Each structure stands twice: as C-alpha cells, then as structure tokens.
Amino acid sequence: MVAVGRVEDVLAGTVVRAARLMRDLDDQIPGALEELKALYPHTGGAFIVGVTGNPGSGKSTIVDCLIAQYREAGLRVGVVAIDPSSPYSGGAILGDRIRMQRHATDDSVFIRSLATRGHLGGLSRSTQDIITVMDAMGHDVIIVETVGVGQDEVDVVSTAHTSVVVVVPGLGDEIQAIKAGILEIADILVVNKADRDGADRTVADLSMMLDLRAKGAKTVRILKAVAIKEGGMVELVEAVDLHRRELDSETEGRRRGLERAETRLKDLVRTLALERALALLESGDGLSALVERIAEREIDPYSAAEQVLAELMGNP
Amino acid sequence: MSTKRKIRILVAKPGLDGHDRGAKVVARALADAGYEVIYTGLHQTPDMIAAAAVQEAVDLVGLSIMSGAHMTLFPAVQKALEKRGVSDLPIFGGGIVPEEDKAALLEGGVDALFTPGTTTTEIIDWIEANVRPKVEG
C-alpha cells in the first residue's frame, strides 16, 4: 500500500502528497507507517512549540500571532491544531483555522486540523506522526495547539520543545494555582485577556506558585498578553527564543530529547502491544471461552490476562 | 490495526455575504453524522478554500452561497482546487441557487446542490451513497 515515490515527494515539500500521507497516518493505514519510518532520519530540524490551556483561553488567537511573527522572520511554519471528537457520534467540528485565516494562502504555512478520535491527553494519537511529516517537509517551527484542556491533559510536554500554557484571569483562588498538572508543564505561562480585571492578581498567584517550588526547579516565565490585539506577542516569541537558547546551551536540550524519545517509545510499545493483544483475543473463539470461564469463576481475570499475554509474547 | 477511513469535509463560505447560520447547521449535522468537519468561517476567497482543502486532505468540499454569486464562485473554487493539484475533489453546494442555474452548475462539475428545504438527512444520504464508496475504495 505504499504510495509510489511519496517519501521523496514529502521530502521535496509537495503539499498535496504530504497532506495525503498525514491523512493515511491519521486513518492508521498500515502502508503509511512504512513511509513514516523512511521519513524519520530526515527529521529533527524543526523546533516544536506546544500551546495548551483551557477552552476559550485564546490558544488559536495566540497561535495565529505566533505564525505571523515567525513568518516575518522568514521561517516556514507548520501548525497542528487539535479539537475534540464527539464521544457520541465520533464526528468533530474542527474550527481552529478560523482564527488563522490571514495565513490561509501563505505557501510557507501548513495548517492541519486533527480530531482526538477518542485519544486522551490533549492530543490525537496521530499528532506525533503528523509532526514528523511536517518536520520532514522542512518546516522550521511547528506549533501544536492542544484541545482545550482541564488540569490533567499534559501530553504536549513530551511532544514540544517549549510548552506554552495559556490561562485567563479569574479562574479561581490561589489554591488552583498550586495544584499539580497543567501548570507544572509550562515553560512559559501566558496570562491572556490581561485587559480584564484580575490579571495582576493571576500573575501574582502564578508567581507565588512558582516560588513554592523546590530549589533548582526549571525557569518558568510569566507573561501578560492581549492576543486579540496582538499585545504581548513579541514578548512571547522572545520568551520562546530564550527558552530555546537555554535548551541549546545546556545539557537540558539533550536530556529533554532523550526524555521525549523514551516517552514516544513507551507510548508506541503500549499501543502496539495493546492492539496485538486485543487482536489475538478477538481472533477465533478464545475470547468468549475465556470470558465465560471468568464469569463462571473457573479462572480469575488476572490469570486469564496473564495467559493472553503469555500467548502474545510467544507469537510476536 | 483498524483501517476504517473517517470522512473529512471542508465547509466554507466563499464571498461577501455574512449569513453563516445555514453553513453552521450543516456543519453540525455532518459532525453529528460522524464526519470530521473543518469549518473555516466567513468571507473565504476561492484560493483560501482550495488551500485549506489541500492541507486538510478532505474528501469533500461544501460551499454555502447566499449572495447570488454562485455562477462565479463555484467555478472559481473548482479552478483554485485544480491549480493546487486536486481537480478530482467532489464539491457540493448549499444556499440559494435558482433552478435554471442549478443545471448549469451540475453540468459544470458541481456534484450536488442542496437548496432551501433540503433536510440534513438528505445531504448525509448523498454523502454515504456518493462519497463513502470512493473514500473506502
């Protein structure tokens, strides 16, 4: 199923072919994985910025401003924008492009919308693969906009070099700010809609949260922004650049690179092992037989699961 | 590995009119039917629509036109798509299109036109009959 010459076309930056490959990866067409493997050695050149935050905090508008600035600097920009799939219909309305329309016909900007398709963590399962294709196409910067998240959707941190977390004023008292989760992953915290009441208070709360951390914790910058008026966006790009330079200059960059690779490997092993185990379970009538035995208390579910796994290990 | 294709549809409003309620209702109905709908909002130029269709690798483009400029805008979008290298993409339209223009547009390569009074179920049935086989084929 490998499309003839598509790897070469993607490396040459052919948009139609690259977009189709992304589609095949999102749809989990097996042949597409072979192409992805061939692209991998040609990647690693792109700098990846993650933008995450609550629904309605202004992520898309911030991404729009980032695109504008990176384009001004002459960089090629890829954007992966993720919105949730409906848990009921499986469908989705992907509307992040609306705020990025001024870049629609700029051939140095490639925007791809993805639906989560049931994947948790704030990204779609295919996000990393789509980034790989954009990287191989030669994009200098790739911006990943997660779904509007709550407190625990932190996958973006293992995907991006720099994680930007967007918050808005008035989300609650300071106790919200010391909770674990989303705020911990930030390299840069943006208090957007800072022309609203309470922005300074939010900045103060966030600073306090950062001060409470152990000595030697990473540097986190806090910025105020009014993205809809492009306020604070120059400062945001500067903060991203600063963070990038820190990654380059210290062993931190290599450490994070290894961390990302390890997370990715473990994720894939987990996914593939699960798929194969379930396929094995559902082939033949083994599943219904096992299920019946568990229900009849002839075997306990742990032993049954171990049996399935033992069979899987014997059949790579 | 599951290989079931998810149908992706671009819903766009070309031209200058500001009435996107119809487009939003259709987008919502299509999402409820299980499709992934990329909605790009108002005032799209034909080339903006074509660029989005290519980058998003959609199976189908839906255009909502209420301005009366359908005889210009449909061919312009078709041309823009061709220019960006996807001449085989199905296009459907919704909005106000007089009967006498309908025939000409369908003749010119627009795949289906749904005018006021059409139920969203009719649109979904048409997609299942005409687009699904190509996507999964």
Side-chain angles (χ1 to χ4, degrees):
Chain A
M1 273 277 319
V2 176
V4 179
R6 192 155 66 173
V7 168
E8 290 72 19
D9 288 348
V10 171
L11 290 173
T14 312
V15 175
V16 176
R17 300 275 271 175
R20 285 305 309 181
L21 175 56
M22 292 177 192
R23 174 68 189 280
D24 287 351
L25 289 164
D26 203 24
D27 288 342
Q28 297 182 41
I29 305 299
L33 279 185
E34 296 307 314
E35 294 167 77
L36 192 68
K37 290 176 191 171
L39 289 175
Y40 190 75
H42 302 278
T43 61
F47 189 76
I48 301 160
V49 181
V51 179
T52 189
N54 302 109
S57 56
K59 295 182 294 298
S60 298
T61 306
I62 286 176
V63 171
D64 173 63
C65 295
L66 287 177
I67 300 171
Q69 292 206 39
Y70 286 127
R71 286 300 298 133
E72 240 171 75
L75 301 175
R76 292 184 64 194
V77 185
V79 176
V80 188
I82 301 138
D83 270 327
S85 297
S86 160
Y88 301 110
S89 70
I93 293 185
L94 310 175
D96 290 326
R97 291 186 80 98
I98 294 177
R99 318 232 185 275
M100 308 172 196
Q101 280 307 331
R102 59 175 158 155
H103 309 292
T105 56
D106 182 342
D107 288 333
S108 295
V109 179
F110 190 127
I111 302 168
R112 183 51 167 255
S113 314
L114 295 173
T116 51
R117 297 190 179 182
H119 192 86
L120 303 175
L123 304 176
S124 77
R125 174 180 159 162
S126 60
T127 301
Q128 187 58 54
D129 298 343
I130 308 297
I131 291 171
T132 299
V133 178
M134 285 188 177
D135 191 343
M137 287 173 79
H139 290 96
D140 302 297
V141 179
I142 299 170
I143 305 169
V144 182
E145 180 187 337
T146 73
V147 298
V149 299
Q151 296 177 314
D152 200 25
E153 292 90 344
V154 296
D155 279 2
V156 72
V157 75
S158 54
T159 301
H161 294 103
T162 301
S163 295
V164 177
V165 176
V166 186
V167 298
V168 290
L171 272 185
D173 59 19
E174 68 271 22
I175 193 67
Q176 294 295 340
I178 59 171
K179 282 188 184 170
I182 185 76
L183 292 173
E184 281 183 296
I185 68 167
D187 299 304
I188 300 166
L189 281 162
V190 175
V191 179
N192 194 29
K193 309 189 185 184
D195 50 353
R196 290 189 183 171
D197 284 349
D200 290 328
R201 176 66 196 271
T202 303
V203 170
D205 286 347
L206 292 170
S207 310
M208 192 199 68
M209 170 200 80
L210 294 176
D211 287 343
L212 290 174
R213 297 176 308 158
K215 280 205 166 53
K218 69 178 177 182
T219 311
V220 179
R221 293 176 178 82
I222 304 177
L223 304 173
K224 283 199 284 186
V226 185
I228 198 81
K229 295 176 187 156
E230 311 216 5
M233 293 295 106
V234 172
E235 292 79 0
L236 175 57
V237 169
E238 280 170 7
V240 172
D241 283 347
L242 267 175
H243 183 250
R244 180 179 191 166
R245 279 205 291 279
E246 284 163 11
L247 291 182
D248 285 343
S249 58
E250 293 167 25
T251 46
E252 177 68 5
R254 181 167 164 72
R255 190 187 66 75
R256 283 209 180 192
L258 289 172
E259 207 173 87
R260 276 196 304 276
E262 184 180 329
T263 306
R264 183 74 185 139
L265 177 62
K266 284 179 177 169
D267 275 354
L268 280 176
V269 168
R270 199 175 296 132
T271 306
L272 295 179
L274 183 65
E275 268 170 14
R276 284 177 197 176
L278 290 179
L280 178 71
L281 205 56
E282 279 156 20
S283 66
D285 52 5
L287 176 64
S288 54
L290 260 184
V291 167
E292 220 162 284
R293 288 179 60 209
I294 297 168
E296 294 298 327
R297 299 294 189 275
E298 289 170 20
I299 184 170
D300 69 276
Y302 282 97
S303 303
E306 279 167 7
Q307 203 174 305
V308 172
L309 283 180
E311 203 177 324
L312 180 70
M313 298 306 180
N315 298 299
Chain B
M1 198 177 261
S2 146
T3 55
K4 195 169 184 319
R5 290 276 193 188
K6 181 72 86 176
I7 291 179
R8 284 168 66 90
I9 305 170
L10 177 70
V11 173
K13 265 202 74 69
L16 296 175
D17 74 290
H19 305 281
D20 63 348
R21 186 165 167 78
K24 280 178 174 159
V25 167
V26 170
R28 180 61 207 258
L30 295 177
D32 285 345
Y35 309 130
E36 286 178 3
V37 180
I38 293 101
Y39 184 67
T40 53
L42 292 166
H43 309 314
Q44 303 285 294
T45 66
D47 196 40
M48 286 164 92
I49 293 168
V54 168
Q55 290 176 4
E56 300 287 354
V58 294
D59 303 302
L60 178 65
V61 176
L63 303 178
S64 162
I65 304 177
M66 311 284 217
S67 60
H70 46 270
M71 295 308 282
T72 317
L73 288 172
F74 278 106
V77 171
Q78 287 170 302
K79 214 166 161 188
L81 284 168
E82 208 169 304
K83 226 171 138 190
R84 287 190 179 263
V86 284
S87 46
D88 53 346
L89 208 54
I91 299 179
F92 75 97
I96 297 160
V97 180
E99 278 305 316
E100 59 267 31
D101 292 345
K102 231 172 152 174
L105 288 172
L106 293 172
E107 184 77 15
V110 175
D111 294 86
L113 287 166
F114 301 103
T115 42
T118 312
T119 63
T120 50
T121 316
E122 284 171 63
I123 303 175
I124 291 158
D125 289 344
W126 178 80
I127 292 170
E128 287 302 310
N130 295 279
V131 180
R132 169 87 63 196
K134 275 187 228 163
V135 173
E136 288 180 355

